[in-house]
Amino acid sequence: MSDEERWTGHPETDADGPEPLAPPPAVKEKLARLPDRPGVYVYKDARGDVIYVGKAASLRSRVRSYWHASRAREGRVQLMLRRVADLETIVCDNEVEALVLESNLIKKHRPRYNVRLRDDKQYPWLRIDLAEKWPRLLIVRQRRDDGARYFGPYADAGALKATVAVLRRVFPYRTCSDRRLAQGGRPCLYYHIRRCPAPCVGYVTEEAYMREMRRLVEFLEGRDASLLRSLEEEMEAAAEALEFERAADLRDRIRALREVGESQKVVLRRVADRDVVALARRGDLIAAQVFFVREGRVEGRESFLLQAGVDESPTAAMAAFLEQYYTDGAAVPGEVLVDVEPEGRATLEAYLSRQRGRRVVIRRPLRGEARRLMDLVRENAEERLKEELWRRERARDDAQAALEELQEALGLPEPPLRIECFDISNIQGSHIVAAMTVFEDGRPRPSEYRRFRIQTVSGRPDDFASMQEVIFRRFRRAREDASGKWSRLPDLVIIDGGKGQLSAAMEALRALGFDDIPAFALAKEEELLFAPGRGEPIELPRHSAALHLLQHIRDEAHRFGLEYHRRLRSGSALRSRLDDIPGIGPKRRRALMKAFGTPEAILAAGPEAVAALPGFHRKLAEAVCAALADGRIPPPAAEGGGAGRAAGRLSPPAAERVAETRPIRPTAGGRAAESRAPRRANRDQAED
């Protein structure tokens, strides 16, 4: 039986071992689309924690082999596979790159099921600590966060040792321990063969020793050209001063540096901190891939998904991504490699240079190692884009199936393509708000979410009257604004609540002539659906796609309304606290509200920021901060609908104003490791 047959689920007949484990759904879907390329694969558990990192000459063959019976016999593999919930892959250029990347990821995540050498010692590094009085260059097997400079890792330890021997000839430094250095005494053999300047007996000043060590670091950083020029100038000056022995020594050092630069440039390759960025696009979807190269090695990557206009050029898309990505707080390296030169490159370079505090160069590599790395990053962007397009196609199919199931369960004439859900939030009748969320084709439409302040209910909570008001206001807008943004009517209305809330909503719909729109109430406790005029509730299967869709819509409405409710409470608490401070009148209170918004924000800003506002001075600012600090506002508690009374006759408000929001991106379905993409702030046009 072939590997393909085993993967596709044919029965395993080997009686000597256990049956192969079935991959979880998220992994099974990805196994069929694995590339036949070298790379690294990462297994994650249900919490998203990395539990295993592996390398492969062929990701397709290697990853699939885990789910065959031959691997299932291995006890530790079985334990790991039972915990696997997701799979991530990174395509590499060759097996060596995959090996190094695997090592870096293991060091970073320390997966439970990876075999690690003691102390994580694998590839050698060069270490030098310029904070020491007499620094020395060491070959180490572990990189620590100790403030020292590290260079590497280097795959060829033999070549590295040969290179270090040459460097020691060019830049003599001590190799003895700190204890031996402190003992002093006679200089050792290394002084007599010109490999050490003998700081132990004071034959070299600290200033001269540190100058040579800084030159050594400069060479390791790849700045050998400027170092050679400096040494040549010193050699010429020594010759002119008739210091022929020193000039000859400098000549030998220059020759040695050129030798090591030519023959060992693979070992001591140029160290560069750079980001490598590539975009892949299909229609209005862009996948961005960023690889981080730090000190000459790939340390990690990030992936982002962006929406773009159909007519947006690749150069404009690259410029927009770079600007938003680095504005969002990402560390700016000295060099950014891109697969497409961004629009306004000079302006963007100036902006990033200001962000970094030093010069930043943006360039498109055309040849060499940088071009090969760019091709690899672009290939990973393409893979991410293919994965997202497939996921969206699958989501559309799932959403369509859920809508068809919902149509059948609720007896609707056709699948409900537009669903609107309404929820009430309050605490004991204070700051009663309502939220309306909209789903189209089974997916959220945040740009059409709406918030309402309830105006006809105050004091005691009345969920029935509150629901009646919000339904009346929403559909009255539809009747009055036949061609505007409120004119689109839903195919299905979902009320968060029970029979009482549904009856109140139906009364409002009948009053406006929209009672032909199907409306149901979804009760939170047992997830039952109530229909108008029907005594028995509708119970959808617990694991049905239709119920999951309704729960998603209801939860979105609850979240959306809760955010607005908390904001109103925080503003009200701040206003009431400020009213008790002498010298704070309506005008100054409004200035504080506009500038900070919450008591926590005022306290975090401090008296200096408050005193900088128009109409404030230092003494008043200190009084404001002191008053707020003495009675800090507690964080909001969990809210929900209060116990309601029987629904009364609707009394439409005299002045109706609806709080609208700017578009908000839904988080459902997205990946958190890719949510570092810039988001626009949500702004509410709050009602008075």
Side-chain angles (χ1 to χ4, degrees):
M1 183 179 294
S2 67
D3 288 347
E4 185 68 25
E5 290 174 331
R6 285 197 180 94
W7 145 240
T8 52
H10 289 271
E12 176 63 50
T13 58
D14 188 352
D16 296 332
E19 295 289 332
L21 293 173
V27 175
K28 186 174 182 179
E29 293 165 353
K30 295 178 180 179
L31 289 178
R33 298 175 288 105
L34 288 172
D36 188 18
R37 290 288 310 278
V40 173
Y41 55 95
V42 179
Y43 281 132
K44 298 182 178 181
D45 61 15
R47 297 184 302 177
D49 296 332
V50 175
I51 61 174
Y52 186 79
V53 177
K55 63 181 182 299
S58 169
L59 288 170
R60 178 188 297 270
S61 301
R62 176 65 172 172
V63 178
R64 288 180 175 183
S65 71
Y66 278 90
W67 309 96
H68 297 169
S70 58
R71 298 300 302 273
R73 296 192 189 101
E74 303 174 16
R76 187 166 175 81
V77 173
Q78 277 202 38
L79 291 175
M80 180 191 73
L81 294 181
R82 288 194 180 99
R83 294 189 59 187
V84 170
D86 199 3
L87 167 70
E88 181 180 344
T89 59
I90 303 174
V91 177
C92 294
D93 220 15
N94 52 56
E95 293 180 59
V96 175
E97 288 186 1
L99 185 146
V100 175
L101 180 56
E102 177 201 34
S103 173
N104 294 337
L105 292 176
I106 290 173
K107 292 175 183 177
K108 179 179 180 180
H109 297 290
R110 303 187 65 83
R112 175 177 179 179
Y113 292 99
N114 272 98
V115 176
R116 296 190 300 272
L117 297 178
R118 183 170 12 189
D119 296 331
D120 233 3
K121 294 178 181 176
Q122 294 187 17
Y123 301 105
W125 296 75
L126 290 179
R127 177 188 182 275
I128 184 169
D129 187 359
L130 294 179
E132 294 180 354
K133 185 175 181 179
W134 306 103
R136 51 184 173 159
L137 188 66
L138 299 174
I139 298 177
V140 298
R141 292 278 178 173
Q142 185 176 9
R143 181 178 180 176
R144 299 180 183 275
D145 188 13
D146 54 5
R149 292 293 306 275
Y150 287 84
F151 303 91
Y154 305 107
D156 192 339
L160 177 62
K161 291 178 181 178
T163 300
V164 169
V166 176
L167 289 177
R168 196 174 174 200
R169 253 190 317 155
V170 179
F171 309 101
Y173 57 86
R174 74 175 178 101
T175 57
C176 57
S177 65
D178 294 337
R179 181 179 178 182
R180 173 67 183 85
L181 177 67
Q183 288 176 350
R186 293 184 301 174
C188 62
L189 176 64
Y190 289 116
Y191 166 74
H192 297 288
I193 62 174
R194 297 187 178 184
R195 296 295 183 270
C196 176
C200 55
V201 292
Y203 286 178
V204 63
T205 65
E206 186 175 351
E207 180 182 356
Y209 188 92
M210 290 301 297
R211 181 171 62 249
E212 293 301 308
M213 291 300 97
R214 282 192 288 269
R215 282 178 169 176
L216 172 58
V217 170
E218 185 178 349
F219 180 79
L220 293 175
E221 288 176 342
R223 294 182 286 161
D224 48 330
S226 61
L227 177 60
L228 287 171
R229 283 195 302 269
S230 173
L231 291 175
E232 287 171 353
E233 291 172 0
E234 285 190 30
M235 179 182 68
E236 293 172 0
E240 290 178 1
L242 305 181
E243 298 177 0
F244 300 116
E245 186 175 352
R246 174 168 169 73
D249 179 62
L250 289 169
R251 178 201 61 197
D252 294 341
R253 294 173 68 179
I254 291 171
R255 287 177 180 174
L257 282 178
R258 286 177 175 159
E259 174 190 344
V260 75
E262 290 297 325
S263 63
Q264 304 295 342
K265 61 184 178 181
V266 173
V267 179
L268 292 177
R269 57 187 176 181
R270 177 181 176 85
V271 175
D273 285 357
R274 55 172 58 147
D275 287 352
V276 188
V277 183
L279 304 181
R281 178 174 177 177
R282 300 288 187 279
D284 64 346
L285 180 64
I286 296 176
Q289 195 83 196
V290 184
F291 272 41
F292 312 117
V293 180
R294 299 295 182 262
E295 296 186 353
R297 67 186 185 120
V298 177
E299 285 201 342
R301 70 164 185 171
E302 281 191 302
S303 301
F304 303 97
L305 296 173
L306 301 91
Q307 293 295 123
V310 176
D311 299 328
E312 189 174 28
S313 66
T315 58
M318 176 61 75
F321 172 74
L322 292 178
E323 181 180 350
Q324 294 180 54
Y325 173 67
Y326 289 111
T327 302
D328 201 37
V332 183
E335 187 176 46
V336 179
L337 303 184
V338 295
D339 63 337
V340 176
E341 184 169 316
E343 268 184 15
R345 180 175 63 85
T347 303
L348 193 55
E349 282 181 340
Y351 169 74
L352 296 181
S353 298
R354 186 178 64 185
Q355 292 280 96
R356 182 172 183 252
R358 285 183 289 171
R359 186 176 179 227
V360 175
V361 176
I362 301 174
R363 68 181 181 93
R364 180 187 178 195
L366 300 177
R367 61 185 65 86
E369 182 182 352
R371 175 58 185 268
R372 291 191 293 272
L373 180 59
M374 176 58 69
D375 292 340
L376 177 63
V377 177
R378 186 185 298 112
E379 186 174 351
N380 276 273
E382 291 286 350
E383 288 292 330
R384 178 69 185 95
L385 181 63
K386 292 176 184 177
E387 179 182 336
E388 179 62 18
L389 290 173
W390 177 87
R391 189 193 67 78
R392 293 190 176 193
E393 182 179 354
R394 176 67 180 271
R396 281 193 294 269
D397 294 342
D398 292 345
Q400 183 61 32
L403 293 175
E404 291 174 356
E405 184 179 338
L406 196 59
Q407 172 194 2
E408 181 179 354
L410 302 184
L412 304 177
E414 56 187 17
L417 301 183
R418 180 182 173 95
I419 304 175
E420 294 182 4
C421 181
F422 298 85
D423 179 49
I424 306 295
S425 292
N426 72 87
I427 289 183
Q428 298 179 351
S430 66
H431 302 298
I432 306 175
V433 299
M436 179 186 91
T437 52
V438 180
F439 275 52
E440 290 190 353
D441 298 323
R443 291 178 293 175
R445 288 293 301 271
S447 61
E448 300 199 26
Y449 288 8
R450 296 293 181 266
R451 291 173 171 134
F452 304 81
R453 279 188 183 181
I454 300 301
Q455 301 173 346
T456 60
V457 178
S458 61
R460 290 184 300 173
D462 191 336
D463 279 4
F464 301 156
S466 300
M467 184 62 71
Q468 193 177 58
E469 176 187 331
V470 70
I471 294 295
F472 186 91
R473 290 168 61 182
R474 185 269 179 266
F475 287 96
R476 191 180 71 178
R477 286 286 185 92
R479 189 177 64 182
E480 295 173 350
D481 189 11
S483 59
K485 58 187 177 183
W486 293 92
S487 60
R488 294 197 60 190
L489 295 175
D491 301 311
L492 175 64
V493 172
I494 298 297
I495 304 299
D496 182 18
K499 292 182 179 180
Q501 286 88 344
L502 178 62
S503 298
M506 289 305 301
E507 183 177 347
L509 289 172
R510 281 192 294 268
L512 294 169
F514 290 110
D515 52 324
D516 58 328
I517 297 177
F520 294 82
L522 180 61
K524 293 180 183 178
E525 302 300 331
E526 298 182 5
E527 307 291 20
L528 299 176
L529 281 166
F530 295 94
R534 180 172 174 174
E536 293 297 322
I538 301 171
E539 184 174 2
L540 298 177
R542 288 293 175 182
H543 300 290
S544 69
L547 179 59
H548 291 167
L549 175 60
L550 292 180
Q551 289 172 330
H552 187 189
I553 297 171
R554 189 265 317 281
D555 293 343
E556 271 288 274
H558 185 66
R559 176 196 64 80
F560 194 59
L562 204 57
E563 289 177 355
Y564 188 40
H565 185 270
R566 286 173 173 163
R567 192 171 308 166
L568 292 179
R569 287 176 53 208
S570 179
S572 175
L574 176 58
R575 281 193 296 271
S576 62
R577 181 66 56 82
L578 295 176
D579 288 340
D580 297 331
I581 301 175
I584 299 297
K587 186 174 181 180
R588 285 173 172 164
R589 184 184 66 195
R590 284 194 297 270
L592 287 169
M593 291 286 294
K594 183 177 180 181
F596 303 104
T598 66
E600 290 77 12
I602 294 177
L603 288 170
E608 293 80 5
V610 176
L613 296 177
F616 284 81
H617 50 79
R618 178 72 186 190
K619 187 174 181 180
L620 180 59
E622 291 175 349
V624 169
C625 292
L628 294 177
D630 289 341
R632 191 180 295 270
I633 306 298
E639 300 94 354
R645 299 175 295 166
R649 176 67 72 181
L650 179 70
S651 176
E656 174 186 351
R657 291 177 298 276
V658 180
E660 302 174 5
T661 67
R662 293 172 65 92
I664 300 175
R665 294 182 185 171
T667 57
R671 292 178 54 191
E674 298 173 356
S675 61
R676 271 195 63 206
R679 294 193 177 113
R680 295 180 179 176
N682 304 334
R683 298 173 55 193
D684 294 333
Q685 298 174 356
E687 299 181 272
D688 295 333

